[in-house]
Amino acid sequence: MTTFDHSANQACNSVNQFRMNTYISFFNHCSEGMFCINQDGFFTEVNPALINLCGYSEEELINTLFLDLVLPEDLGETITLFEKVKQGYTETFEVCLLHKNGRRIHTNVTAIPTIFQGKLLGIHGLVTDITEKISVHESLQEMSSCDQLTRLPNRNQLSIHLKQNLARLESEELNIAVLYLNLDRFKLVNDTLGHGTGDQILKLIAYRLRNSITASDFVSRLGGDEFLITLTRKTSSEIEAVANAILQNISEPIFFSGHDLIITASIGICLANQGNIMDEFSLIRFANIAMSYAKRSDGNCYKLYSKTMGKVAMRKLLMERTFTRALAGSEFAIYYQPQYDIETNQIIGAEALVRWNHPHLGLISPLEFIPLAEESNFIVPLGNWILENACTQFRQWLEQGHQLTRLSVNISVVQLYQDDFYQNIISILEKTGLDPSYLELEITESKTLNYDSVKYKISSLREKGVRIAIDDFGTGYSPLSHLQQISIDTLKIDRGFIRNICQNYKDQVIVQSIVKMARMMNLNIIVEGVENLDQLLLLQAHNLKEAQGYYFSPPLKTKEFEKLLIA
C-alpha cells in the first residue's frame, strides 16, 4: 500500500466516523421519537424521545415488536404499510400507539427502508406526537356538531338526520314530525336567578327531553331556550302523545338553589308524509309558526301546523316588513273616541286610538298589528308618533275654546321598559306645548308588566302633572296589591264587565266592588264599552260619572270628532 493509499483510507475512515458521530448525536438529541427495527419488526434501537413518548424503558423496548405498541384497531393498516416499506417504499401514516399506562398516543410515523446492496437490513422510523393536534381537531368537530352547554347535537346535525328521514318517505308510509319547542317566560328565570342558574336548568331540560323520546328520535338545541325534536311514527296521534309526554316531563317541579320552579314549554308541530312532502327547512319554519300559536295560547301546550297558520304568518310578515314605510307614508291615522260626563252628556275628553289603512291589506285592526308592533319593538316609534300628533291636535282644540279636560293615550309595556321613556314623554309635551295636566297615559294590565321596574318612571311623570290610568281593569293579570305599589289617578273598568251587566248579576257585583274600592282610594273611574241606554241607566244608578262607548260615539276621524265638539 502506498503512502497515498494509506492517507486516503485514513481520510475515508475519518469522514465515516464523523458521519456516524453526527447521526448518533442527532438520534439521541432529536425531539421527535426515532427507532430502528429489523426485518422481523423488532426494535433494535430507540432514542430518548421515543422512550419518553411511550413510557417504556430502553430495555423494555429493545427486542419488542413495534406492532405491540399499536392500538388493535390500527394493526391491520399498519401491517399493510410496513409490508410496503419492506418493498423499498417510504411511507408516512398516522397510527395510535399505547402508552405504558394505557393512554392513547396519536402519532404521525414516517417509515424509511434501510437497504444495502439491494438487501433490506431493517427500517428506520420517525415518530411525531400529534395527540394535541388531534384533540384540538376533535374539539372543533364537536363544537361544529354539538351544543357546548347541553351536549345535545346542534341544528347542523339535526338537518342531516332530518334529510335522511325525509328520504324514507319515498318508500315508506309514515309521519315525520318536527317539534319546535320554546320554554315559556324563561327570560324571567335568567333575569331573577341569573344566567348561571338558567344554564343549569337548560341542562336539566335537555336531560328531560332525552328521556322523553326513543333512541331513533333526535333532539337538538337551537340556542337560547329553543330546542328541535324530530320524531318518526306511523300515526299523528302517536306524535301528539310524545308531545304531551314532553310537556308533562318538562313541567315537573325543579328544586334548585332553594327555589321551587315549574318550567313550561310551547311546542309547534309540523308533519311530513307521503301526502305532504316538504324539505327540512319548511318543516322547521312551519313548526316555528305553530309554536308561536302555542305561545299565544299562554304556553304549556302544543299546536299542529295548518295552512291557515301559514297564511296568517305571511300576513304578519307583510305587516312587519312595511311598518316603517307605513309610518313615513301616512298610512297610520289617529281616531278619537269621546269620553262623556254622563250626568251632563258633555264631552270632557278623548281617547286617541291608532288605525292602519294598509294599501294591500286594507284597514287593519289594532288588535292585529299592535301585538306585532310590540314583538318587533316598532311600538316605540309608533307610540311616540301617536303621542306627538295627539298632543298637537288636542292643544289646537283647547286653543279653539273647547272645554276638554283629558287626552287619553295608550302606552305599551314595551314603551314603559325603554330607558328614555320618561324623557320621551316630557320632550313631546314640551315640543307640542300641551300642559302635562291634560295628558292621561293608559297602561293596560298585563302579566308581563313588572311594576317594580316602572314605578319610579310613573311617579316621576305624575310629579310633572301627567295622569296615569289602568286600562281594562279587572281582567285579572295584575293583583290588587299593585295598586299599592304605584301611584295612579284613574281606573278604566273593562268593557267585558259592561257587555252583559244588565243580565248578569255577577257582573254588577264586580263593577260595584271596583267602584267601591276606587272611591275609597280616591281614584277617578271611567267605564268603557257602553253600548246601550239600559247599560247607561244602570251605571248612573251606581253614581258613575264618566263613560265612553259606541252608545255615545265610535272612534272618529279628526274632522268628524270636531263636528261632534261643536254640535
Side-chain angles (χ1 to χ4, degrees):
M1 178 181 294
T2 66
T3 303
F4 177 81
D5 290 335
H6 180 72
S7 297
N9 284 335
Q10 280 187 325
C12 184
N13 290 336
S14 178
V15 170
N16 288 337
Q17 187 62 46
F18 175 77
R19 287 176 176 172
M20 179 62 69
N21 291 339
T22 300
Y23 171 76
I24 291 172
S25 178
F26 173 72
F27 187 83
N28 289 329
H29 294 95
C30 182
S31 60
E32 307 293 337
M34 296 185 70
F35 65 85
C36 297
I37 59 175
N38 60 25
Q39 298 178 43
D40 298 321
F42 289 91
F43 286 110
T44 57
E45 291 183 64
V46 290
N47 75 340
L50 186 64
I51 292 169
N52 184 60
L53 179 65
C54 297
Y56 292 96
S57 66
E58 183 177 3
E59 292 75 17
E60 290 173 313
L61 287 175
I62 297 300
N63 294 322
T64 297
L65 282 170
F66 178 89
L67 295 176
D68 286 346
L69 300 182
V70 176
L71 204 67
E73 49 261 44
D74 288 352
L75 269 175
E77 185 176 357
T78 306
I79 291 172
T80 300
L81 290 167
F82 269 125
E83 288 300 319
K84 288 186 177 180
V85 176
K86 288 179 181 180
Q87 295 171 20
Y89 298 98
T90 296
E91 293 288 343
T92 298
F93 54 92
E94 291 185 8
V95 63
C96 196
L97 305 181
L98 279 173
H99 191 276
K100 185 177 181 179
N101 64 13
R103 176 171 56 87
R104 294 186 177 197
I105 311 165
H106 294 277
T107 65
N108 184 284
V109 175
T110 298
I112 306 165
T114 304
I115 299 174
F116 182 73
Q117 294 181 349
K119 183 179 179 181
L120 178 72
L121 300 181
I123 297 174
H124 277 63
L126 184 68
V127 182
T128 303
D129 184 0
I130 59 170
T131 303
E132 185 175 347
K133 177 184 175 182
I134 293 294
S135 178
V136 169
H137 178 70
E138 289 176 348
S139 295
L140 290 174
Q141 278 192 318
E142 184 181 8
M143 289 175 64
S144 68
S145 62
C146 179
D147 173 60
Q148 296 303 294
L149 176 65
T150 63
R151 316 310 297 175
L152 291 174
N154 61 17
R155 184 167 179 166
N156 292 335
Q157 293 302 302
L158 177 124
S159 181
I160 294 170
H161 176 82
L162 196 49
K163 282 181 180 178
Q164 293 171 346
N165 272 351
L166 288 172
R168 295 171 58 187
L169 291 179
E170 296 178 5
S171 57
E172 297 181 57
E173 290 186 9
L174 44 79
N175 283 280
I176 295 171
V178 166
L179 280 63
Y180 199 116
L181 184 147
N182 181 269
L183 300 180
D184 297 327
R185 295 175 285 279
F186 194 73
K187 183 178 184 297
L188 185 61
V189 173
N190 283 329
D191 290 345
T192 55
L193 301 180
H195 287 272
T197 298
D199 286 348
Q200 294 305 312
I201 292 173
L202 286 173
K203 290 181 182 179
L204 178 58
I205 295 297
Y207 173 79
R208 291 182 175 182
L209 287 174
R210 286 193 196 98
N211 288 344
S212 301
I213 60 178
T214 66
S216 62
D217 299 324
F218 201 89
V219 58
S220 67
R221 181 182 179 222
L222 288 182
D225 57 356
E226 292 187 326
F227 299 84
L228 280 178
I229 302 128
T230 63
L231 307 175
T232 304
R233 298 291 188 276
K234 287 292 184 181
T235 64
S236 60
S237 59
E238 293 176 272
I239 290 168
E240 292 184 63
V242 176
N244 276 319
I246 289 172
L247 291 172
Q248 184 174 347
N249 290 342
I250 286 179
S251 63
E252 288 293 323
I254 298 173
F255 304 101
F256 194 87
S257 299
H259 298 279
D260 294 346
L261 305 174
I262 294 180
I263 305 296
T264 61
S266 299
I267 299 176
I269 305 174
C270 185
L271 302 178
N273 48 50
Q274 289 186 340
N276 185 35
I277 293 178
M278 62 182 79
D279 59 36
E280 71 272 17
F281 303 109
S282 298
L283 264 175
I284 294 171
R285 180 164 60 91
F286 294 154
N288 186 18
I289 291 171
M291 183 274 293
S292 69
Y293 275 78
K295 281 282 186 190
R296 286 200 288 272
S297 298
D298 285 338
N300 197 25
C301 66
Y302 69 84
K303 295 290 182 183
L304 283 168
Y305 175 80
S306 67
K307 290 183 179 180
T308 301
M309 290 181 182
K311 292 177 181 178
V312 172
M314 289 302 296
R315 180 179 171 90
K316 285 178 62 178
L317 182 61
L318 178 59
M319 285 191 288
E320 190 170 354
R321 285 179 174 176
T322 54
F323 270 148
T324 304
R325 186 210 67 200
L327 190 58
S330 302
E331 293 176 20
F332 291 104
I334 300 175
Y335 283 53
Y336 297 90
Q337 185 169 41
Q339 297 171 334
Y340 278 81
D341 180 327
I342 60 177
E343 290 184 336
T344 64
N345 200 36
Q346 296 296 310
I347 298 175
I348 57 173
E351 180 178 1
L353 299 164
V354 67
R355 298 291 185 265
W356 186 7
N357 190 10
H358 194 283
H360 303 297
L361 302 177
L363 195 62
I364 305 174
S365 166
L367 295 176
E368 184 178 6
F369 71 79
I370 290 295
L372 185 60
E374 290 178 323
E375 290 175 17
S376 62
N377 244 37
F378 177 72
I379 193 67
V380 176
L382 178 61
N384 289 339
W385 178 85
I386 294 168
L387 183 61
E388 182 175 334
N389 282 273
C391 287
T392 300
Q393 182 59 68
F394 196 81
R395 182 168 182 251
Q396 291 177 9
W397 287 332
L398 293 175
E399 291 173 347
Q400 292 167 6
H402 298 296
Q403 301 300 307
L404 300 171
T405 61
R406 179 195 303 116
L407 170 65
S408 297
V409 179
N410 292 280
I411 295 296
S412 164
V413 172
V414 177
Q415 291 174 269
L416 269 174
Y417 283 156
Q418 301 301 305
D419 292 336
D420 58 355
F421 171 73
Y422 166 81
Q423 190 54 52
N424 269 344
I425 301 298
I426 298 304
S427 297
I428 289 172
L429 287 170
E430 290 175 350
K431 181 179 180 179
T432 59
L434 182 66
D435 189 307
S437 63
Y438 286 106
L439 179 62
E440 184 166 83
L441 300 179
E442 295 188 5
I443 303 170
T444 302
E445 283 196 289
S446 169
K447 59 189 173 185
T448 62
L449 178 57
N450 184 336
Y451 283 90
D452 284 334
S453 65
V454 301
K455 62 184 180 182
Y456 176 75
K457 298 175 186 177
I458 290 173
S459 61
S460 298
L461 286 170
R462 291 188 78 246
E463 288 175 5
K464 290 290 186 179
V466 176
R467 288 180 284 185
I468 303 296
I470 298 295
D471 195 14
D472 298 336
F473 185 78
T475 53
Y477 284 127
S478 303
L480 295 177
S481 59
H482 285 159
L483 297 180
Q484 298 174 317
Q485 298 177 30
I486 61 171
S487 300
I488 64 171
D489 301 277
T490 302
L491 287 183
K492 295 192 75 174
I493 299 177
D494 182 61
R495 67 183 71 248
F497 298 119
I498 306 304
R499 185 176 300 112
N500 298 312
I501 193 170
C502 296
Q503 297 83 29
N504 192 325
Y505 178 71
K506 290 182 180 179
D507 284 343
Q508 293 183 34
V509 172
I510 291 172
V511 170
Q512 289 174 4
S513 300
I514 294 173
V515 170
K516 184 178 180 180
M517 178 194 66
R519 285 173 177 165
M520 292 177 66
M521 299 177 69
N522 293 318
L523 299 177
N524 186 42
I525 305 168
I526 301 179
V527 180
E528 297 181 293
V530 179
E531 297 181 354
N532 57 58
L533 179 60
D534 290 339
Q535 292 171 345
L536 175 62
L537 294 175
L538 186 58
L539 296 175
Q540 288 176 329
H542 287 92
N543 295 317
L544 288 161
K545 308 296 183 185
E546 299 175 6
Q548 66 186 86
Y550 276 67
Y551 173 74
F552 303 105
S553 171
L556 302 170
K557 295 180 180 179
T558 302
K559 294 299 182 182
E560 295 171 346
F561 186 86
E562 289 175 347
K563 291 178 182 177
L564 201 61
L565 286 176
I566 60 178

